[in-house]
Amino acid sequence: MLPWSWSFCGCVAPQGVETAPVIDTSDGETPSSKGIGANRLVLLSGRAGQGSPSPGSQCGGSCSSHALPGRCWRVSMAGFEWPDAWPGKVEACSSCDPLGQPRVCGPLPEGSEHVEPGQAPPYPPPLPHGEVVTPSKLIQFHYPTPGVGSVPPAWAYLSVLAPGQSLLADHSLPSFDTDLPDQCSPNPCTKEGTQVCQDLMGNFYCQCRAGWGGRLCDRDVNECGQQNGGCNHICFNKPGSFHCACYSGYALSHDGRTCQDVDECAEGRCEQACVNSPGGYSCHCDGRGGLKLSPDMNTCEDILPCVPFNVAKSMKSLYLGRMFSGTPVIRLRFKRLQPTRLVTEFDFRTYDPEGVLFFAGGHQDSTWIVLGLRAGRLELQLRYHGVGRVTSSGPVINHGTWQTISVEELDRNLVIKVNKDAVMKIAVAGDLFQLDRGLYHLNLTVGGIPFKEKDLVQPINPRLDGCMRSWNWLNGEDTTIQETVKANPKMQCFSVAEKGSFYPGSGFAFYSLDYTRTSLDVGTEATWQIEVMARIRPAADTGVLLALVAGDHVVALSVALVDYHSTKKLKKQLVILAVESVTLALMEMKVCDGQEHQVAVSVRKDEATLEVDGTKGQSEVSSAGLRESLAVLGRHLQGSVLTFVGGLPDVPVTSAPVTAFYRGCMTLEVNQKALDLDEAAYKHSDITSHSCPPVEQEDGRPRSPQPKPTT
């Protein structure tokens, strides 16, 4: 019996791929397609028969030429006699392109290793679809007689190509059926990650589900490790899968990967103003109208006092600082038939160092006197027959306690007394009452003068935050004053007052200050700095302490109290420093403890700090964000800005984190200079510039302020 020789080339196609037989016209033989479970072998060419094989036979055709996703293999067997031992060659065709480019299987490589009959051959790896396998070595294997032993691994290799039957149906090759155990029972593959286990007749192949890898499909594939899984924002890996998510304020699109802005403002979430931002939104309330955000951060509620101040007024007192314009609060005109001399006495209380108590006399070019304060001491300016003089004497009286002051016109003298002690006696040449059309006339104004302060002998700021009581003008001939004051609470003083400025939560003041400095060196650009020290005793937890407002009502910078954290959406009592609507720094503070606190702010072109009671606040922006905001502020400072204290003008509610008026006591220093509200360009008449009511105790009595120690 002549030995058989056999060689062929073929492709393994996955289940479900339609294939057609290929005719090798060189031999006139028709290869066939044989089913092998989940895979099929498609023969591209081959020959078999008795006799010696043709040396160097090649495979004709390629897998890709038949649109097959499989791999080209070459198997050559020669010189065997069935069923005795027979040698064989198995070669993976390295020239076959797994990407589908047409290539032809080459001849068996030189130097292939020869294995003697009966020896255990090397164990080739399984052949999963899509894996590139290098050429195998020459293998000589022993096929045992049926019923003896088991099929060696090398035959398991071939069994992937054609298990249990001959490759060419038209040749009478013997059947290779063998009773082999099912390699997938029990299932060696991981259940969670495996789609199906394929029995390879002595081996097995685990076909993995999407998201799993490894020979046993037991390794999770981390999809997020490759280009973030294709997710726009966040990729969450999980066993065998992954899913995309979006940052707060974004929604996942229908593709499950990209994220879009959610316009919460279009959904009507805010009761009043709403600002949409990438990934979020913020609600704003009409602060100037006395509203702030509710705890739900969407609706609005009233700003209510959290610290009770004793704001009771005394109906028997006259407040001199009601008119910021410097015009008098009281005007009296006396007419007499007989020559009369001025006699007046009153109790006086103030913390203000400068201002006008009263004027008495005729018109500005005639005879008159003005009693005022300068540096806390009484000053008398007088003009008689066109000659003016100024004199000052006596103790400092702006310490907030009641003093009795009297002015008496004697024969050719004026005598001023403080608590019955004469502090000034001035010789004069004439009388204050002037004869006009048969009557003696005298004009008397309280808390101001009837002409411009520039026309005084020495200019003085006439605005005086002071209080009078028990007054007596010309022996009590002015009883109507008491009735007028009693009917108008705005003309009355606080019953008890302390040093400071009181902001009632209904107005503001502003100054025209310059924050830029130009170096003396030629060619050096102008620099700027903003240093603020505020001593505050708040009555409410929301309000603007200080703000710089540029043109077009842009809030360039603001320092304010607020009762919520804007980004964390938490209710918390804070002091914040902001440029426009961006919060740069914040610091928590017990706003409603009734104590005095110190707020320090320092802003330059390269830094911005906020301190409360000596403790530095935390930054709310990145370094890049800080530089950007300070650059914006610097550009605003190159133009005209106004410094507002206690509140803002009519600006959009979204122009700053806080727009509400401040309520409570406060004194301010800006760039190491104390701000005197009497020196402001404008001040609301309800703001008291140098007096502040005390905080009430639980029993209703005033409580003295306890300043916080600085560190």
Side-chain angles (χ1 to χ4, degrees):
M1 179 179 179
L2 293 176
W4 284 78
S5 63
W6 173 28
S7 66
F8 69 90
C9 284
C11 294
V12 178
Q15 185 179 25
V17 176
E18 293 296 331
T19 62
V22 180
I23 298 176
D24 182 17
T25 57
S26 61
D27 287 342
E29 298 177 356
T30 304
S32 62
S33 185
K34 302 295 183 180
I36 52 172
N39 298 323
R40 285 186 298 171
L41 172 66
V42 180
L43 299 179
L44 299 181
S45 66
R47 61 183 59 180
Q50 291 181 322
S52 300
S54 300
S57 59
Q58 296 186 1
C59 295
S62 67
C63 301
S64 59
S65 63
H66 296 279
L68 299 177
R71 180 183 298 102
C72 184
W73 294 92
R74 173 186 174 127
V75 179
S76 177
M77 304 178 189
F80 66 88
E81 293 184 2
W82 182 258
D84 297 327
W86 53 278
K89 305 174 186 177
V90 179
E91 173 195 0
C93 184
S94 61
S95 62
C96 294
D97 192 337
L99 297 181
Q101 298 301 319
R103 292 185 182 177
V104 179
C105 298
L108 205 64
E110 295 293 333
S112 298
E113 181 180 349
H114 183 79
V115 181
E116 296 297 331
Q119 291 184 348
Y123 179 54
L127 307 177
H129 170 60
E131 178 181 345
V132 178
V133 182
T134 58
S136 63
K137 298 178 180 180
L138 177 66
I139 299 170
Q140 186 177 32
F141 56 89
H142 175 74
Y143 186 83
T145 58
V148 180
S150 61
V151 177
W155 180 244
Y157 198 115
L158 284 181
S159 67
V160 177
L161 305 177
Q165 58 188 348
S166 64
L167 293 174
L168 301 178
D170 55 347
H171 289 274
S172 56
L173 289 174
S175 173
F176 294 160
D177 292 335
T178 303
D179 186 13
L180 298 177
D182 186 352
Q183 300 298 302
C184 291
S185 179
N187 194 343
C189 308
T190 302
K191 180 179 180 181
E192 184 178 10
T194 304
Q195 180 175 343
V196 66
C197 175
Q198 296 180 1
D199 179 18
L200 303 182
M201 302 292 289
N203 197 6
F204 62 89
Y205 171 59
C206 300
Q207 184 173 343
C208 301
R209 301 179 189 273
W212 293 94
R215 184 168 186 265
L216 302 180
C217 301
D218 56 353
R219 177 175 56 82
D220 171 54
V221 176
N222 183 11
E223 296 87 351
C224 297
Q226 294 289 335
Q227 298 181 346
N228 200 38
C231 298
N232 195 188
H233 283 179
I234 305 170
C235 181
F236 289 107
N237 186 57
K238 58 183 181 180
S241 183
F242 73 101
H243 72 272
C244 301
C246 299
Y247 299 134
S248 176
Y250 290 82
L252 198 62
S253 301
H254 295 297
D255 62 6
R257 296 177 184 269
T258 58
C259 299
Q260 298 178 344
D261 282 348
V262 177
D263 188 358
E264 296 88 351
C265 295
E267 300 173 357
R269 297 192 183 185
C270 299
E271 179 180 345
Q272 293 192 349
C274 180
V275 175
N276 190 52
S277 58
Y281 73 102
S282 60
C283 297
H284 298 262
C285 299
D286 182 12
R288 300 180 80 254
L291 298 176
K292 66 177 183 179
L293 280 177
S294 302
D296 63 10
M297 307 301 290
N298 293 323
T299 59
C300 301
E301 64 182 9
D302 292 333
I303 300 174
L304 300 176
C306 61
V307 175
F309 277 68
N310 183 10
V311 293
K313 299 289 188 70
S314 171
M315 293 186 296
K316 296 182 178 181
S317 63
L318 174 64
Y319 180 54
L320 305 184
R322 185 172 66 91
M323 306 297 290
F324 179 73
S325 61
T327 57
V329 296
I330 294 292
R331 295 174 183 266
L332 300 173
R333 185 175 180 85
F334 299 96
K335 296 179 181 179
R336 297 292 183 267
L337 294 173
Q338 301 296 327
T340 306
R341 292 174 178 167
L342 174 66
V343 177
T344 183
E345 184 179 86
F346 52 85
D347 292 343
F348 178 69
R349 181 192 72 193
T350 190
Y351 290 99
D352 198 335
E354 185 174 329
V356 171
L357 280 77
F358 73 88
F359 161 93
H363 55 80
Q364 74 177 64
D365 295 328
S366 63
T367 299
W368 49 262
I369 65 169
V370 172
L371 183 66
L373 278 182
R374 195 187 298 272
R377 287 183 168 86
L378 288 176
E379 176 185 273
L380 185 67
Q381 296 195 32
L382 59 162
R383 184 183 297 276
Y384 281 79
H385 307 296
V387 179
R389 288 186 294 166
V390 178
T391 183
S392 178
S393 183
V396 173
I397 63 172
N398 69 328
H399 41 61
T401 59
W402 288 103
Q403 312 285 316
T404 300
I405 298 175
S406 64
V407 177
E408 184 176 5
E409 184 182 16
L410 302 175
D411 186 17
R412 303 301 178 184
N413 286 289
L414 285 174
V415 178
I416 293 98
K417 296 180 180 179
V418 176
N419 297 328
K420 307 300 183 181
D421 294 332
V423 296
M424 283 183 278
K425 185 175 182 180
I426 305 165
V428 295
D431 300 323
L432 291 175
F433 274 84
Q434 297 293 303
L435 182 63
D436 182 24
R437 299 178 185 180
L439 294 175
Y440 293 90
H441 298 261
L442 178 72
N443 297 322
L444 191 146
T445 62
V446 181
I449 56 178
F451 46 82
K452 300 292 185 180
E453 54 265 26
K454 67 180 181 62
D455 295 323
L456 290 168
V457 179
Q458 182 175 336
I460 190 174
N461 188 332
R463 305 179 184 105
L464 179 62
D465 180 2
C467 188
M468 283 186 180
R469 71 180 183 185
S470 304
W471 55 83
N472 186 348
W473 312 104
L474 273 69
N475 298 318
E477 297 184 16
D478 55 321
T479 55
T480 56
I481 298 178
Q482 185 63 59
E483 297 301 322
T484 302
V485 173
K486 186 176 180 180
N488 190 351
K490 290 184 178 294
M491 298 181 70
Q492 301 169 11
C493 305
F494 293 125
S495 298
V496 182
E498 298 172 347
K499 190 174 183 180
S501 301
F502 182 66
Y503 296 78
S506 59
F508 58 79
F510 70 80
Y511 302 80
S512 180
L513 303 178
D514 187 11
Y515 296 94
T516 60
R517 297 181 301 175
T518 304
S519 174
L520 297 178
D521 297 333
V522 178
T524 303
E525 63 177 321
T527 61
W528 57 269
Q529 71 171 15
I530 302 171
E531 303 283 343
V532 178
M533 172 63 75
R535 293 175 175 85
I536 62 174
R537 194 161 75 249
D541 57 16
T542 303
V544 175
L545 304 181
L546 177 142
L548 305 187
V549 179
D552 298 328
H553 283 184
V554 176
V555 183
L557 178 138
S558 62
V559 183
L561 304 180
V562 68
D563 71 337
Y564 66 91
H565 194 294
S566 59
T567 56
K568 296 182 179 178
K569 305 290 186 181
L570 295 175
K571 280 289 186 177
K572 186 178 292 187
Q573 294 177 347
L574 302 169
V575 183
I576 63 172
L577 169 64
V579 168
E580 295 187 348
S581 61
V582 179
T583 300
L584 303 185
L586 57 82
M587 181 65 190
E588 191 170 359
M589 186 181 82
K590 294 181 179 179
V591 176
C592 298
D593 62 359
Q595 302 300 316
E596 182 179 276
H597 298 272
Q598 293 187 4
V599 178
V601 171
S602 177
V603 185
R604 294 178 175 84
K605 68 176 183 178
D606 55 354
E607 67 173 350
T609 59
L610 168 70
E611 293 185 2
V612 175
D613 298 326
T615 302
K616 188 175 181 180
Q618 66 186 50
S619 175
E620 286 291 289
V621 294
S622 64
S623 298
L626 177 62
R627 289 193 298 269
E628 181 179 353
S629 292
L630 293 180
V632 170
L633 176 59
R635 289 193 292 270
H636 286 312
L637 292 176
Q638 291 176 5
S640 176
V641 296
L642 295 177
T643 301
F644 282 77
V645 295
L648 289 171
D650 189 9
V651 299
V653 296
T654 59
S655 60
V658 180
T659 59
F661 297 113
Y662 171 71
R663 181 180 176 89
C665 293
M666 176 170 62
T667 59
L668 285 164
E669 294 179 10
V670 175
N671 287 350
Q672 292 79 49
K673 180 181 179 181
L675 291 188
D676 187 341
L677 284 169
D678 291 335
E679 301 290 341
Y682 165 83
K683 177 184 75 68
H684 192 278
S685 60
D686 289 344
I687 299 175
T688 57
S689 58
H690 290 276
S691 60
C692 189
V695 175
E696 286 186 351
Q697 295 182 3
E698 293 182 359
D699 57 5
R701 295 182 299 172
R703 181 173 63 184
S704 299
Q706 300 295 325
K708 290 281 184 180
T710 58
T711 57

